Amino acid sequence: MILGNQVEWTLHCMSVLSWFPEDVAVPSKLLAEFHGVRKDYLLKALQRLAGAGIVVTTTGPKGGYRLAKSPEEISLLEIIEAVEGRQSSFHCQEIRKNNPCNKTTGQKSPVCSIAAVMYKADHAWRDVLKKTKLSDVIRDVNATVPQKSLAESKEWFLERI
Amino acid sequence: MILGNQVEWTLHCMSVLSWFPEDVAVPSKLLAEFHGVRKDYLLKALQRLAGAGIVVTTTGPKGGYRLAKSPEEISLLEIIEAVEGRQSSFHCQEIRKNNPCNKTTGQKSPVCSIAAVMYKADHAWRDVLKKTKLSDVIRDVNATVPQKSLAESKEWFLERI
DNA sequence: GCGGAAGTACTCGGATACCCACTGTCCGAGTAGGGAGGG
DNA sequence: CCCTCCCTACTCGGACAGTGGGTATCCGAGTACTTCCGC
C-alpha cells in the first residue's frame, strides 16, 4: 500500500510546467536536473502522462513537455492514476465462495461486507484527490513559497530552454 | 498502491473468530481450509495480528487463535496496519530540496503543498477504516448472509475443533 | 546577398536488465491431552 | 478404582526459496535548428 516515487516526481513536474505559457516546452532533462532525479526514469512517468492526455510532447530541439489542459481541469487523481494505474487498492478475491458450507454457488451475490468497507475507504482516498485540482496546489505553493524563490526557479528554466 | 491478499484473508478470519466464545481457540489449519487458502502463508499474517495484540494464541492440541478484545474495540485499521505496516501510502522524499535555486537549506520547512494533499488523502482512507469496527462488519454480515448459512458454517468449525 | 539542402544535435519513445518485497514453503520448539502402568 | 507419569500428536513460530512488479538503464527514431554551398 505504498505509492512509487514517480508519483511525487510527477506532481512536482506538473507544478513546474504550470509556470510556463503554452508555447514553451520544458524538456525532461531540465525537469530531472531541477529535481535531482534520474532523467530516464522520470521520462517513463511523463510518457504515461502523455498517454493519458494530461501533457503533450514535442520532439527535437526546443522540444519537451507542456500541459495539455489548464490547471483547473487537471485533478491530482488523474495524474496519480495515469502513473500508478486505475485499479482499486483492494482487490476482493471472493474467498467467501470457498466456504465449504456455501451452497449458493453462482447465484446473486451482493458485495461482501468486508469488501464494501474497503471500497468505501478507497473511494474516500480517491475523492480527496479527485476534488483537488492542480490549480489548488499551485495556489498553495504561491502562498507558502517566497515569490523571490519562485521567480529564480522560473528564471533557471528559461535561461536553459 | 495495492494491498496484499493477506489483508482480505485476515479480515475474513477475524470475522470467523468473532463467532466463538473466549474459551474456544480456532486453529489456523481450519481457518485456511475454510477459506480455501494456504495454511502456512495465512499463519504469517495471523502471527502479525498476535504481535499487535489483536488476537491471542494457544499452542498444542486444542490450540489456535481467538480474539484478544471485543469486536467493538477492534478497528479495521488496526488489523490492516498490523498486516501491512503503519507507514503512509505516500512518502515524501523532499525533492524540492534539490532545487538548485533553493538557498534555504535546512531552515524551517513547512510540509510541501503536494505532500500535504497526499497526506490528507491518506488520512481520509485511514479515517474510514479507523471508524469502522469489527463489530460493524459482523453486524452487516448478519444482516446480509442467511442465518442458516451462518449456523452451518459455525457448526462446521465446532465439529472439527 | 539569398535560398536551399544537408548535417548535427537535441528531444522523446520503446525495449532491455536489475533488485527488492510479496508470496509460498519447510522444519523445529513447545504444549496439552490421552493412554498405560503401578499403587 | 484412582493417581501419576510418559508418550504422542497437534499447535504455533521462525527460517528458508521463488517470482513478479517497481526501479534503473540503454539505444534507436524523429525533428528543428544551424551551417555550408551554390546561384
Side-chain angles (χ1 to χ4, degrees):
Chain A
M1 184 68 182
I2 292 178
L3 293 167
N5 302 331
Q6 287 185 326
V7 171
E8 181 183 6
W9 299 0
T10 304
L11 290 173
H12 278 276
C13 287
M14 292 294 287
S15 175
V16 169
L17 290 182
S18 72
W19 294 345
F20 302 102
E22 201 174 319
D23 57 346
V24 174
V26 183
S28 66
K29 184 184 175 185
L30 289 186
L31 288 170
E33 187 182 346
F34 182 79
H35 292 115
V37 300
R38 313 279 172 182
K39 167 186 158 289
D40 295 309
Y41 190 40
L42 173 64
L43 201 53
K44 278 205 63 174
L46 294 174
Q47 281 177 31
R48 294 186 178 177
L49 290 184
I54 300 173
V55 298
V56 290
T57 68
T58 317
T59 59
K62 298 286 177 184
Y65 292 90
R66 62 180 204 270
L67 296 184
K69 302 184 276 187
S70 71
E72 289 82 11
E73 296 174 294
I74 303 175
S75 70
L76 295 200
L77 184 61
E78 275 181 81
I79 301 171
I80 292 167
E81 283 187 339
V83 175
E84 289 272 327
R86 282 186 172 71
Q87 46 196 334
S88 167
S89 62
F90 181 78
H91 175 60
C92 183
Q93 292 190 306
E94 290 287 348
I95 65 171
R96 58 176 174 164
K97 297 283 177 61
N98 298 329
N99 182 336
C101 304
N102 193 344
K103 279 98 178 177
T104 65
T105 53
Q107 296 183 10
K108 64 159 184 172
S109 55
V111 177
C112 130
S113 306
I114 289 171
V117 177
M118 298 305 294
Y119 290 146
K120 183 182 173 187
D122 186 77
H123 184 76
W125 181 78
R126 287 187 143 73
D127 200 49
V128 171
L129 297 174
K130 188 176 182 181
K131 287 178 178 169
T132 305
K133 308 297 181 185
L134 183 58
S135 53
D136 297 323
V137 175
I138 294 166
R139 192 186 321 116
D140 199 56
V141 168
N142 286 333
T144 53
V145 178
Q147 291 300 315
K148 183 168 175 291
S149 182
L150 281 175
E152 283 175 358
S153 297
K154 193 172 176 178
E155 186 60 30
W156 184 92
F157 275 98
L158 287 176
E159 69 193 13
R160 275 153 227 264
I161 290 176
Chain B
M1 184 68 182
I2 292 178
L3 293 168
N5 301 331
Q6 287 185 327
V7 170
E8 180 183 7
W9 300 0
T10 303
L11 290 174
H12 279 276
C13 286
M14 291 294 286
S15 175
V16 168
L17 289 183
S18 72
W19 295 345
F20 303 102
E22 200 173 321
D23 58 345
V24 173
V26 184
S28 66
K29 184 184 175 185
L30 289 185
L31 288 170
E33 187 182 346
F34 183 80
H35 292 115
V37 300
R38 313 279 172 183
K39 166 186 158 293
D40 295 309
Y41 191 39
L42 173 63
L43 200 54
K44 279 205 63 175
L46 294 173
Q47 281 175 31
R48 293 186 178 178
L49 290 184
I54 299 173
V55 298
V56 290
T57 68
T58 318
T59 59
K62 296 286 176 183
Y65 291 90
R66 61 180 205 271
L67 297 185
K69 301 185 276 189
S70 72
E72 289 82 11
E73 296 174 295
I74 303 175
S75 69
L76 296 200
L77 184 62
E78 277 181 80
I79 301 171
I80 292 167
E81 282 188 338
V83 175
E84 289 272 328
R86 281 185 173 74
Q87 47 196 332
S88 167
S89 62
F90 182 79
H91 176 60
C92 183
Q93 291 189 306
E94 290 287 346
I95 64 171
R96 59 174 174 163
K97 295 285 176 60
N98 299 329
N99 181 337
C101 306
N102 193 345
K103 279 97 178 179
T104 64
T105 52
Q107 295 183 11
K108 63 159 185 174
S109 55
V111 177
C112 127
S113 306
I114 289 171
V117 177
M118 298 305 294
Y119 290 145
K120 182 182 173 187
D122 185 77
H123 184 75
W125 181 78
R126 287 187 143 73
D127 199 49
V128 171
L129 297 174
K130 188 177 183 180
K131 286 178 177 169
T132 306
K133 307 298 180 184
L134 182 58
S135 54
D136 298 323
V137 175
I138 295 167
R139 192 185 323 116
D140 199 56
V141 168
N142 286 333
T144 53
V145 178
Q147 290 300 315
K148 183 168 175 290
S149 182
L150 280 176
E152 283 176 359
S153 296
K154 193 172 175 178
E155 186 60 29
W156 184 92
F157 274 98
L158 287 176
E159 69 194 12
R160 274 154 227 262
I161 290 176

